[in-house]
Amino acid sequence: MGRRQRSAAGLSQAEAVINERYPQLLRLAYLVLPPELDRHARLLRAHRGVQRSLRAAGRRARRGGDVLAAVRAEVVRYSAGRGPRGPLLPWVWGLRMWPSAEELDEAARALAGLSPYARAAHVLCRFDGLEEDAAAEVLARAGAGDPAGEVRAALAAGGAAGAGEGRHEWTGAVDGPGPRGETVSHPADVHTRPTDLLLRRTRVRAAWAVAAVLLLAGGLTRATVTGPDPGLPVGYAGAPAARAALDPARLVRVPARAWSDTGRVDFTAWPARGRRTGDRALLARALGTWAAPPAGTAVTVAPAASAEPPGHPPQLLFAGDPQPGTAVVVFLDADRVVRYTERGGRRSLDIARTDDADVTTAAAVTLTRDGNTARRLLAPWIATAGTRDLTAPAQPVRPLPIGPDGTVTTAFPGGDGPKGAGCGPQPVLEVASSPRIVEKHAFLLADRGGLLTVHLTYTPPAEGADAPPARQPREATGPAALARWAQEACTLEAVDGRAVRAVNLWDFALTELPEGAGRAVWSCTRATHWTGQGDVRIRLRPPAGASLPVTEARSTAACGRFGQHLLATTVWRARSGQAYQLAAGSREVTEISATGSLRTRTPGRSLAVPAPPAPAPPATLTATLRSGAVITALDSRDGGRD
């Protein structure tokens, strides 16, 4: 066979593999791509990466070997950052796209803390069913420096971040049952929505009118070359798309009542509010500063957010003077909110992520914060607002007047605002949605110093073998939730409001302490980031006294949707002086075992035995679930005292 024939044969083999495995390859590319990309850009790049793998994989295929492994390696090479960058082709005008398969975005958020190659290893092992050696070989072909290490990192995170228990490969069906019997969408299916139909229609008409005028002018005289618009930042004068993105006249403006007649209640449903939405000069300064911040501009970018200028006209949310001498403009650009501020001749820019924001996490934006006072813009669906002290659950909510432009002013005790030193009062907003959105829906929002507020929720314990599990966190506005949050309110001091979207307090176990010390509550407080990562704190609260820290973990899926099975352990000392090894598990735990310096096994969800005497090394505790799976404890080496 000649060289040309071998080349054609290799391309044909690679093409057949790509056509047959396109959904799996698309999923691989989507989950390996950088998490800071918004869903629209990530989806386009994923398709591009799979399709670009054809020629390189064909060259490898004609040398012999596993064609599918070669294609996977090329997809990983591109998605991990080694492939070429540039414009996203095909360009999609007037539409935003994202995967129909919700589990893709859920998995992407859960894997955001891993390296690109570790994310690839997770997909290859957990989704595509490859053994560790085969996955490492694909990573080696893709250019990973330590393929085996990347696989180990993926498997270490896989118990919590995986999309199910064990391996499961895509069957090829468009829709079908997932690993737990749920309906799973095809990875290649997409949702689309228009950016703004009325605005786009106006632009089309304007474009045709301009084209006609230019055509007429071209017939009368030769066109002359003009200099760049002095109002545009350097580098934007020759880029039509960039010029359009920075044109105040092209900003997306949503009708005032759009939120009450839509199935998507988030920042995209916010109308443009404030008294200066028609101030073209202010809007132009805000857009220009965003595109190219001048010297002296204070720029604050939330963790994992992108500071890139807009690639298309953003949506205008607010333009006004929330307080004398301060002008503020707020934009929405895909999965980012951007706030521009002018005060005392100085400019500042704040950028935050808004991935998958909803009726609660898109409920408020901070416009200004001065000392112990903050001015906020509430979502148009917020009907009432008030403040309460989270450490005083018995005190009633203090109502707040909502201004005509949707703004409220909140004052915090002390001069340092909500992030002052120590743990004193913890003021939070309690707001209620309009009945047009949902009946009797109130929820709590905490100010942790970020551009957006943090949604607080509570998950009560499931007592008894037949008790129905709490399938999702509940609003923390009921008496039981408020009482528990009052006890754990100081944990909010460690929450970074720039990165965190929600904090859930989950009481996962109730256990009896030794020597008749009473019943203790085991809780997991999970701070979920906008990226999908989560930081957790396990605490043990005895019947008297403050909660005791057990352990904590960062960038984990524990205590979230992909980490619902939990075992925690600590050493606790009774009043008698006796030290006990305590352990407690979540609902599905049926047995707890200890090995190492302590050897014991007990049925049920809790363990309490005398701890091994010092200086014995710490024991290793594991739990068996109803399914037969085994999990290892998140443990603490220096537990609390009674």
Side-chain angles (χ1 to χ4, degrees), residues 451-475:
L451 180 57
L452 307 177
T453 51
V454 178
H455 181 211
L456 303 184
T457 56
Y458 173 66
T459 304
E463 298 188 69
D466 299 326
R471 297 189 178 275
Q472 60 184 2
R474 305 176 183 180
E475 299 301 351

Side-chain angles (χ1 to χ4, degrees), residues 211-588:
V213 171
L214 291 177
L215 182 61
L216 178 61
L220 297 176
T221 184
R222 290 185 59 185
T224 58
V225 178
T226 61
D229 183 348
L232 289 175
V234 176
Y236 278 77
R243 290 170 63 93
L246 302 183
D247 185 354
R250 295 175 178 265
L251 288 171
V252 177
R253 299 170 187 256
V254 173
R257 301 296 295 177
W259 63 270
S260 63
D261 191 24
T262 179
R264 183 177 178 182
V265 185
D266 57 16
F267 284 113
T268 62
W270 279 41
R273 289 175 287 174
R275 295 186 176 182
R276 301 183 68 177
T277 55
D279 189 335
R280 182 183 178 89
L282 173 63
L283 299 178
R285 291 196 302 273
L287 290 167
T289 302
W290 182 3
T297 302
V299 179
T300 302
V301 182
S306 169
E308 292 183 359
H312 55 83
Q315 179 180 336
L316 179 62
L317 303 184
F318 179 85
D321 301 318
Q323 64 185 52
T326 301
V328 173
V329 181
V330 181
F331 301 110
L332 173 68
D333 180 53
D335 290 334
R336 296 182 296 172
V337 161
V338 178
R339 182 185 67 191
Y340 168 80
T341 305
E342 291 179 352
R343 177 184 301 177
R346 297 179 179 272
R347 302 182 183 185
S348 63
L349 201 66
D350 295 87
I351 303 175
R353 292 183 64 148
T354 62
D355 307 55
D356 297 321
D358 56 23
V359 65
T360 57
T361 52
V365 171
T366 301
L367 299 178
T368 61
R369 183 184 287 109
D370 290 300
N372 64 340
T373 302
R375 188 77 173 168
R376 290 186 178 81
L377 179 66
L378 299 181
W381 56 82
I382 298 301
T384 62
T387 60
R388 67 158 60 247
D389 181 3
L390 201 58
T391 63
Q395 293 182 3
V397 177
R398 296 182 294 277
L400 288 175
I402 301 178
D405 57 355
T407 59
V408 296
T409 300
T410 54
F412 301 97
D416 294 325
K419 299 194 73 173
C423 181
Q426 295 289 323
V428 293
L429 275 174
E430 181 169 326
V431 297
S433 302
S434 165
R436 300 196 65 171
I437 297 297
V438 60
E439 291 285 347
K440 299 179 180 179
H441 180 221
F443 50 95
L444 298 185
L445 301 173
D447 181 357
R448 300 312 311 156
L451 180 57
L452 307 177
T453 51
V454 178
H455 181 211
L456 303 184
T457 56
Y458 173 66
T459 304
E463 298 188 69
D466 299 326
R471 297 189 178 275
Q472 60 184 2
R474 305 176 183 180
E475 299 301 351
T477 53
L482 290 172
R484 280 294 291 127
W485 261 115
Q487 296 170 337
E488 307 295 341
C490 290
T491 60
L492 291 177
E493 291 290 316
V495 172
D496 182 358
R498 301 170 307 152
V500 173
R501 62 182 293 174
V503 179
N504 180 52
L505 172 60
W506 175 29
D507 290 339
F508 65 90
L510 303 174
T511 63
E512 296 294 333
L513 294 174
E515 301 185 12
R519 173 175 278 196
V521 180
W522 295 73
S523 65
C524 178
T525 305
R526 176 181 172 85
T528 301
H529 294 214
W530 288 100
T531 61
Q533 297 173 313
D535 302 332
V536 301
R537 293 172 178 267
I538 309 295
R539 298 173 69 83
L540 173 68
R541 183 171 184 84
S547 295
L548 308 173
V550 173
T551 189
E552 60 184 63
R554 295 188 176 276
S555 299
T556 177
C559 305
R561 182 172 181 180
F562 293 107
Q564 299 180 18
H565 306 313
L566 181 66
L567 176 67
T569 183
T570 189
V571 174
W572 173 85
R573 195 173 298 277
R575 293 187 182 277
S576 65
Q578 173 66 50
Y580 290 90
Q581 185 81 48
L582 304 182
S586 53
R587 179 183 176 82
E588 293 296 311

Side-chain angles (χ1 to χ4, degrees), residues 119-305:
R119 293 196 296 270
H122 178 93
V123 177
L124 294 172
C125 294
R126 295 282 174 173
F127 284 95
D128 293 346
L130 270 65
E131 297 296 333
E132 296 177 27
D133 292 343
E137 182 180 350
V138 171
L139 298 186
R141 290 189 180 191
D146 181 14
E150 301 287 1
V151 172
R152 288 194 298 270
L155 295 180
E165 295 175 5
R167 296 184 174 94
H168 51 281
E169 186 164 0
W170 190 263
T171 62
V174 173
D175 291 288
R180 296 179 297 276
E182 75 279 14
T183 299
V184 178
S185 301
H186 196 297
D189 286 350
V190 298
H191 284 308
T192 61
R193 65 175 175 85
T195 51
D196 190 304
L197 292 175
L198 293 176
L199 181 59
R200 202 170 75 211
R201 184 166 178 257
T202 302
R203 289 175 182 170
V204 170
R205 288 181 174 178
W208 279 110
V210 170
V213 171
L214 291 177
L215 182 61
L216 178 61
L220 297 176
T221 184
R222 290 185 59 185
T224 58
V225 178
T226 61
D229 183 348
L232 289 175
V234 176
Y236 278 77
R243 290 170 63 93
L246 302 183
D247 185 354
R250 295 175 178 265
L251 288 171
V252 177
R253 299 170 187 256
V254 173
R257 301 296 295 177
W259 63 270
S260 63
D261 191 24
T262 179
R264 183 177 178 182
V265 185
D266 57 16
F267 284 113
T268 62
W270 279 41
R273 289 175 287 174
R275 295 186 176 182
R276 301 183 68 177
T277 55
D279 189 335
R280 182 183 178 89
L282 173 63
L283 299 178
R285 291 196 302 273
L287 290 167
T289 302
W290 182 3
T297 302
V299 179
T300 302
V301 182

Side-chain angles (χ1 to χ4, degrees), residues 28 31-35 108 111-124 154:
L28 175 63
L31 294 179
V32 175
L33 281 164
L111 299 175
L114 299 178
S115 71
Y117 290 115
R119 293 196 296 270
H122 178 93
V123 177
L124 294 172

